[in-house]
Amino acid sequence: MEMEEERADQSEAAEASADVNADANANAGGGDASPPAVELRRINKRFGAVQANRDIDLAVDRGSITGIIGENGAGKSTLVSILYGFYTADSGEIRIDGTPIRMAGSADAIEHGIGMVHQHFMLVPTMSVLENAMLGREGGPRLAEGERSTRARMAEVSAAYGLEIDPDALVGELPVGLQQRVEILKTLLRGARILILDEPTGVLTPQEADRLFEILEILKRDGVTILLITHKLREIMAATDAVYVMRRGEMVARRRTRETSQEELARLMVGRDVLFAVGGEPGEPGAPILAVESLGHADERGAPRLTDIRFELRSGEILGLAGVAGNGQSELLDVLSGIAPPQSGRIDFAGRTFTPASPANPSLLRDMGLAHIPEDRQQRGLVLPFTASESSILGYHAGAEAGGGIFLALAAIRERCGLLMERYDVRPPDPGLRCGGFSGGNQQKMVVARELSAAPKALLVGQPTRGVDIGAIEFIHSQLIEIRDAGCAILLVSVELDEIMSLSDRILVMNAGRIVGEAARGEADADRIGLMMAGVGEPAAAA
Amino acid sequence: MSEFAFQILLTLDATLRLATPLIFCALAGLFSERSGIIDISLEGKLLGSAFAAGAVASVTGSVYMGLLAAVGVSISMSLVHGFACITHRGNQIISGLAVNILASGLTVTLGIALFQRGGQTPTLGPNERFQPIELPFADALAQAPLLGPVYDELVSGHKLLVYLAFIAVPLAALVLTRTRFGLRLRAVGESPEAVDSAGVSVPWLRYRAVIVAGILCGIAGAYLSTAHGAGFIREMSAGKGYIALAAMIFGKWRPWSALFACLLFGFLEAASSRLIGVEFPIIGEAPTNLMLVLPYIMTVVLLAGFFGRAEAPSALGTPYVKEH
């Protein structure tokens, strides 16, 4: 869990929390007399030195959709994991329909009618939908009887809520949207009347997300109580009746959705005003620096991951690459950065041509001025047990930054790292601290600092703000704009469509390893791009 | 029936006998590994339970007491492995290795201390060993053409545990695919979080899996010292635990495929000992050492993945940690 982010002082939040509780009581008092479906009282949970949840109070009305919003690491997932019996709270009380219950494990939660759709699906990919649905409630030591009854119940529930699915399909072979459907179905089959969804739209296309919210509406009409955890303000505004805001492990506000606004919620989440439009002025594209021609790549099993990729990247522009995760974006970054070899096509970069016969390698490309902010900062961007100062020269360890000779110029590296940390607002600015000790946002800022300080001609960026809090997102975005204006060419890969749309001068859309569409700045709208991401809509037209 | 055909029949007959401990061990490994616990301690459990069977059968005079002791010892070794890997989330290879070293040292030490015969147990008498079971009509049918000798030599006349091994395979397949325990076992090896969130205890499920592995391995050990052999000999497992592990991996963690792989290894072993001293065209007399080492070479070849990559359960070897 990314709990390190809560290290900072709690005093301000604690203050806010006091008026929230008053607020919550006032709001709760307005309704009917029946007790809330779910009530949490003074929940506390600590992981080592990190207080993930502090004195959390929460009340969810029966048959409502209630949102919990907060930045990554605000403690939302921990809180619902406690409600689902996955973690045990250090102190506090859980009440279902007004009755305090004992929660020792997920079995207790299920027994009290709580179901949860986790952010990472709790499915066994090698088993069928039916087997997954049965797991944990097989109806006896032999499977045959349970299979019959589960199949029948599944047909019933599927029909009632519009959750059609083939019970004999292998879960691992289903698209993520359908896998999520299996998760929801599973909870309903277990008799859930309280449904928790943790970041349910992270892996979905906009259309799949719309379909999900339709399903949630149907469930709500049927009296199911829904708790929706997300960091996307738009979803909260569109789908919920009430919303709780969490910040740094505390519940800082409760609002009725129709009485609040995105701006207010964002301010509550971050603790200050947030600028929504970062894009600013459009870039002034110059000469092409990176050109890709009919590029193809297959994974080690021979399955094609990239097919006929072609595009041009110009100096001084940000080219956004939109797509649902897993449609070839990661592979494209690997090939462009020289980590994986292409099997066909050619790449022209800064006057040199790379083909399958003469492939590039990351260090050569880096020397030629191609920097890379990888998608997974913890696996590829940093060595977590290394100190910040050691990580600040990763990939540049043979260059002048590191001393240039056989020996590392440790003192100089340390001093330079200290300057970078100040310039890029890495907190705490201590070059001697191990990378693993920084929060996600600060780790990402260290990677950004290292790559941008090399003053690259072109920059590959993968998911620059995944798992990063809003403050750091703003900062990273402004840095990208700044280096673009300085003439750097940027290829921005992100699964956050908002990020792509607000930063990019031009947008390419990927689906199933192909570039399926292109949109210029200004003419891009989320619906059209969403359809292209889903593989419907325009024919391939990126040549 | 020609002499050649008869030799083939005898080789196949030996194949069944030699494959039996491999089958039990492979199934043991299969239950453990489908639950997500790597089990290289098959070797140690095999050796430990072979010693227990030999020693107890010799002291009590009862082969069944020997079997019981073997199963008991094997289960307790499984539990040690489980305690390290499940409860304390230790490294499963290291823990398995520790069990193997423990078994190797302890059997010799205890053997010398108890029997003063250089680590061997006393040679077992008829009541202390499993005896061949003549199936009905074996004698009468022996003279029938073709099927007669097959029935008499190949099918009939094995010891109880050999038949048990061949019954254990379909039983294991049935348990895995058609029971609640099997469903949960397969799930916990692939995705323990899913099992946990379904309200089922991951540790208890894995403990049950290693206990089943212990039972099966114990039977294999008893077979070595009280059915196949006539007493315990130092290091008598001779890598069979590892070969069974290889067979299980080659069988892609599935009972029927693992059975096939065990029979293949059994056949190689049976054939290699029969081919010693036989004159071949071109190469002349088959070298003894090469023939004996054949099953082990085959193990390496199979494990190196020359026959297609095997898909292990995805959570294999990864301790389940909920809070971090």
Side-chain angles (χ1 to χ4, degrees):
Chain A
M1 306 241 79
E2 293 164 22
M3 292 303 163
E4 287 95 351
E5 291 180 17
E6 269 87 288
R7 283 215 187 131
D9 68 307
Q10 305 272 356
S11 57
E12 182 204 357
E15 230 170 79
S17 144
D19 34 271
V20 175
N21 291 340
D23 219 17
N25 293 338
N27 274 336
D32 51 306
S34 73
V38 179
E39 197 180 357
L40 299 181
R41 291 190 178 178
R42 307 196 75 74
I43 295 284
N44 279 289
K45 177 70 182 173
R46 174 181 283 281
F47 292 102
V50 179
Q51 184 87 35
N53 285 162
R54 181 192 296 269
D55 285 338
I56 301 276
D57 289 322
L58 174 84
V60 181
D61 294 333
R62 187 169 313 117
S64 73
I65 300 183
T66 299
I68 301 181
I69 196 163
E71 297 188 76
N72 288 77
K76 308 177 300 263
S77 289
T78 305
L79 184 66
V80 289
S81 294
I82 289 169
L83 178 54
Y84 189 59
F86 220 57
Y87 296 155
T88 314
D90 299 336
S91 65
E93 188 178 71
I94 299 173
R95 289 173 177 241
I96 302 298
D97 293 328
T99 320
I101 59 162
R102 194 179 143 275
M103 187 69 82
S106 299
D108 290 332
I110 294 167
E111 190 185 316
H112 287 97
I114 303 174
M116 178 153 173
V117 176
H118 296 260
Q119 195 171 353
H120 305 287
F121 299 150
M122 297 293 177
L123 295 170
V124 186
T126 53
M127 290 186 176
S128 72
V129 171
L130 186 67
E131 284 178 313
N132 268 286
M134 288 173 70
L135 188 62
R137 40 173 299 130
E138 297 84 350
R142 290 175 64 245
L143 289 183
E145 176 54 32
E147 262 176 17
R148 256 193 305 280
S149 61
T150 309
R151 197 181 284 273
R153 281 266 296 139
M154 239 170 103
E156 238 170 69
V157 176
S158 296
Y161 299 109
L163 294 162
E164 293 82 11
I165 199 145
D166 171 13
D168 297 308
L170 211 56
V171 164
E173 290 172 2
L174 295 174
V176 274
L178 285 184
Q179 290 192 7
Q180 187 175 60
R181 194 172 284 187
V182 178
E183 281 283 53
I184 296 174
L185 204 55
K186 233 168 72 176
T187 62
L188 296 177
L189 286 174
R190 287 173 189 159
R193 300 302 291 163
I194 298 163
L195 185 58
I196 308 167
L197 297 114
D198 190 3
E199 300 282 2
T201 59
V203 290
L204 304 183
T205 62
Q207 281 76 15
E208 284 174 326
D210 289 345
R211 179 80 191 103
L212 170 68
F213 288 118
E214 280 167 29
I215 290 168
L216 294 187
E217 273 303 317
I218 301 175
L219 290 172
K220 175 183 152 181
R221 246 176 278 147
D222 200 53
V224 176
T225 305
I226 294 166
L227 200 51
L228 175 69
I229 317 309
T230 180
H231 65 275
K232 295 182 182 167
L233 291 164
R234 207 180 30 203
E235 288 168 7
I236 291 287
M237 298 309 292
T240 63
D241 302 307
V243 53
Y244 279 87
V245 184
M246 283 189 80
R247 169 159 33 106
R248 291 177 176 167
E250 309 207 16
M251 200 58 93
V252 293
R254 177 194 163 149
R255 295 284 183 272
R256 287 181 192 281
T257 308
R258 62 184 140 79
E259 290 164 6
T260 185
S261 65
Q262 289 205 22
E263 286 72 19
E264 185 194 21
L265 291 178
R267 198 180 68 240
L268 289 166
M269 268 164 77
V270 185
R272 59 184 171 75
D273 286 320
V274 179
L275 298 170
F276 269 98
V278 251
E281 295 298 304
E284 290 167 16
I289 179 154
L290 176 76
V292 176
E293 263 307 309
S294 50
L295 192 71
H297 173 72
D299 63 18
E300 63 240 28
R301 289 186 194 158
R305 309 298 294 184
L306 296 174
T307 313
D308 194 25
I309 301 287
R310 51 184 76 213
F311 66 86
E312 224 171 46
L313 179 63
R314 293 165 177 277
S315 307
E317 76 166 347
I318 295 181
L319 178 59
L321 191 63
V324 179
N327 274 284
Q329 303 97 309
S330 309
E331 289 80 0
L332 181 59
L333 284 178
D334 281 358
V335 171
L336 291 179
S337 60
I339 295 169
Q343 267 100 38
S344 60
R346 55 183 272 174
I347 301 169
D348 292 302
F349 175 62
R352 281 187 64 163
T353 298
F354 300 100
T355 62
S358 61
N361 69 67
S363 117
L364 173 67
L365 289 171
R366 200 174 288 118
D367 288 344
M368 291 173 63
L370 181 77
H372 181 198
I373 299 173
E375 290 185 303
D376 189 336
R377 58 177 168 269
Q378 302 201 330
Q379 292 294 324
R380 289 188 168 179
L382 298 168
V383 181
L384 293 184
F386 276 21
T387 62
S389 124
E390 286 168 323
S391 273
S392 72
I393 53 156
L394 287 180
Y396 301 93
H397 47 274
E401 298 92 338
I406 294 174
F407 296 102
L408 296 175
L410 292 177
I413 293 171
R414 205 181 154 84
E415 194 189 327
R416 178 171 169 275
C417 179
L419 291 175
L420 282 180
M421 290 175 108
E422 243 164 65
R423 157 86 176 78
Y424 288 89
D425 190 33
V426 179
R427 281 177 270 180
D430 176 3
L433 203 62
R434 293 193 315 134
C435 292
F438 290 90
S439 73
N442 284 303
Q443 288 176 353
Q444 186 69 346
K445 282 192 263 182
M446 291 197 315
V447 178
V448 169
R450 183 181 70 219
E451 300 300 327
L452 297 196
S453 65
K457 290 189 195 125
L459 175 67
L460 306 173
V461 193
Q463 319 297 348
T465 55
R466 173 148 66 193
V468 166
D469 56 275
I470 288 194
I473 291 179
E474 267 186 288
F475 181 80
I476 291 170
H477 283 176
S478 68
Q479 292 300 318
L480 291 178
I481 297 283
E482 194 174 301
I483 192 168
R484 176 202 70 184
D485 290 342
C488 180
I490 300 179
L491 180 69
L492 169 69
V493 174
S494 174
V495 293
E496 298 289 344
L497 194 48
D498 292 343
E499 178 167 54
I500 294 271
M501 302 225 329
S502 69
L503 287 177
S504 307
D505 297 304
R506 218 152 42 94
I507 297 171
L508 297 178
V509 184
M510 268 189 102
N511 177 266
R514 289 169 186 276
I515 290 182
V516 294
E518 177 170 356
R521 183 189 181 96
E523 71 180 35
D525 75 88
D527 287 340
R528 193 173 136 238
I529 292 180
L531 284 174
M532 288 196 268
M533 281 162 65
V536 285
E538 298 178 28
Chain B
M1 177 170 266
S2 70
E3 178 59 21
F4 179 70
F6 193 66
Q7 280 302 324
I8 296 271
L9 206 55
L10 285 183
T11 310
L12 291 178
D13 186 52
T15 299
L16 298 189
R17 280 184 274 119
L18 291 167
T20 295
L22 298 182
I23 295 170
F24 280 119
C25 276
L27 291 178
L30 194 144
F31 272 96
S32 177
E33 300 217 340
R34 284 303 281 266
S35 85
I37 304 292
I38 298 175
D39 202 0
I40 66 162
S41 65
L42 290 176
E43 177 74 12
K45 285 187 282 219
L46 188 62
L47 189 64
S49 53
F51 174 77
V56 171
S58 160
V59 171
T60 62
S62 156
V63 62
Y64 293 100
M65 289 310 286
L67 177 65
L68 213 60
V71 169
V73 163
S74 178
I75 289 179
S76 40
M77 291 169 81
S78 265
L79 289 176
V80 169
H81 184 48
F83 186 64
C85 302
I86 304 169
T87 305
H88 290 289
R89 302 174 193 133
N91 183 307
Q92 301 176 1
I93 301 281
I94 305 281
S95 162
L97 210 54
V99 169
N100 290 349
I101 294 169
L102 185 74
S104 173
L106 215 54
T107 48
V108 175
T109 311
L110 286 179
I112 292 173
L114 293 175
F115 301 106
Q116 289 92 31
R117 297 165 66 109
Q120 299 195 8
T121 59
T123 307
L124 299 176
N127 281 334
E128 297 155 11
R129 294 185 62 201
F130 284 97
Q131 294 303 318
I133 300 173
E134 289 301 325
L135 292 184
F137 315 118
D139 277 340
L141 288 171
Q143 300 312 317
L146 202 61
L147 285 181
V150 171
Y151 185 70
D152 183 38
E153 282 299 328
L154 191 59
V155 181
S156 173
H158 288 291
K159 284 152 188 168
L160 177 67
L161 297 185
V162 178
Y163 296 112
L164 206 58
F166 284 86
I167 295 169
V169 175
L171 213 59
L174 200 72
V175 167
L176 274 179
T177 54
R178 305 304 312 152
T179 67
R180 175 171 65 192
F181 174 64
L183 179 78
R184 292 177 175 185
L185 187 82
R186 283 182 287 138
V188 81
E190 290 291 340
S191 161
E193 317 77 40
V195 170
D196 197 358
S197 85
V200 178
S201 162
V202 172
W204 173 224
L205 198 49
R206 288 187 164 166
Y207 267 114
R208 277 184 291 170
V210 297
I211 288 172
V212 172
I215 295 170
L216 290 166
C217 232
I219 300 174
Y223 177 81
L224 283 189
S225 61
T226 63
H228 194 63
F232 176 81
I233 306 167
R234 297 170 69 141
E235 302 295 344
M236 81 181 303
S237 55
K240 285 194 169 60
Y242 295 115
I243 294 181
L245 199 67
M248 176 209 66
I249 294 171
F250 183 51
K252 298 191 191 311
W253 289 267
R254 295 197 192 109
W256 288 106
S257 318
L259 169 67
F260 166 75
C262 290
L263 287 173
L264 183 67
F265 280 116
F267 177 75
L268 277 174
E269 202 181 337
S272 66
S273 57
R274 257 149 234 277
L275 288 176
I276 292 167
V278 175
E279 290 285 340
F280 280 97
I282 311 172
I283 55 167
E285 193 179 301
T288 311
N289 290 332
L290 183 69
M291 285 293 133
L292 288 178
V293 87
L294 215 60
Y296 299 90
I297 293 177
M298 194 62 190
T299 310
V300 174
V301 171
L302 290 184
L303 280 188
F306 283 90
F307 294 90
R309 183 157 299 209
E311 288 281 329
S314 14
L316 185 60
T318 321
Y320 181 59
V321 185
K322 194 151 73 166
E323 300 196 15
H324 44 143

